[in-house]
Amino acid sequence: QVQLVESGGGSVQAGGSLRLSCAASGYTSGWMGWFRQAPGKEREGVAVISTGDGSTYYADSVKGRFTISRDNAKNTVYLQMNSLKPEDTAMYYCAAGGTTQYPYWLMLRSSTYRYWGQGTQVTVSS
């Protein structure tokens, strides 16, 4: 049984920072990542990481502002979000169970992942 539990969401002003955490149980390999979905929009990939060699890939909209990392000993993946913008407002979901696909931008597709958390809300006010 795979479980993903997200935490760390909240409300911040533009320019602020938040750190999201995703604790995984029953799963220890493959790719994990963060996705987000704003009201009325499709779910989009934000950042993904290989729990094997640490390879990462980011959506263009968050490059230079967000950093994904992992602690394999704790089975936890983090998303450090800096310089937040109102357009970052969304429900953020943790995903796991992704198998490597090339080119790496394919790792940002939600269909690549088998397991999903319940989500944590991030709201950025201007």
Side-chain angles (χ1 to χ4, degrees):
Q1 182 86 15
V2 176
Q3 281 192 316
L4 303 175
V5 179
E6 303 102 332
S7 61
S11 297
V12 295
Q13 290 191 327
S17 298
L18 283 174
R19 188 194 195 206
L20 305 183
S21 299
C22 172
S25 60
Y27 179 84
T28 58
S29 63
W31 286 72
M32 295 182 68
W34 289 96
F35 290 71
R36 67 187 181 186
Q37 188 167 18
K41 294 188 177 181
E42 293 187 356
R43 188 171 298 189
E44 63 172 350
V46 174
V48 295
I49 187 167
S50 166
T51 59
D53 64 8
S55 296
T56 59
Y57 196 82
Y58 295 89
D60 288 343
S61 59
V62 306
K63 282 181 182 176
R65 300 189 298 122
F66 292 10
T67 303
I68 189 170
S69 61
R70 94 277 194 213
D71 184 333
N72 285 349
K74 295 182 179 180
N75 277 353
T76 299
V77 172
Y78 305 96
L79 185 68
Q80 179 66 43
M81 305 186 294
N82 298 328
S83 302
L84 283 161
K85 304 175 181 179
E87 51 263 46
D88 294 318
T89 295
M91 184 70 78
Y92 281 70
Y93 297 91
C94 178
T99 54
T100 302
Q101 299 186 38
Y102 300 100
Y104 272 174
W105 66 262
L106 292 172
M107 301 309 302
L108 289 178
R109 294 190 310 180
S110 58
S111 59
T112 300
Y113 298 83
R114 294 181 60 190
Y115 308 107
W116 293 86
Q118 293 299 308
T120 185
Q121 178 68 37
V122 171
T123 303
V124 184
S125 59
S126 57

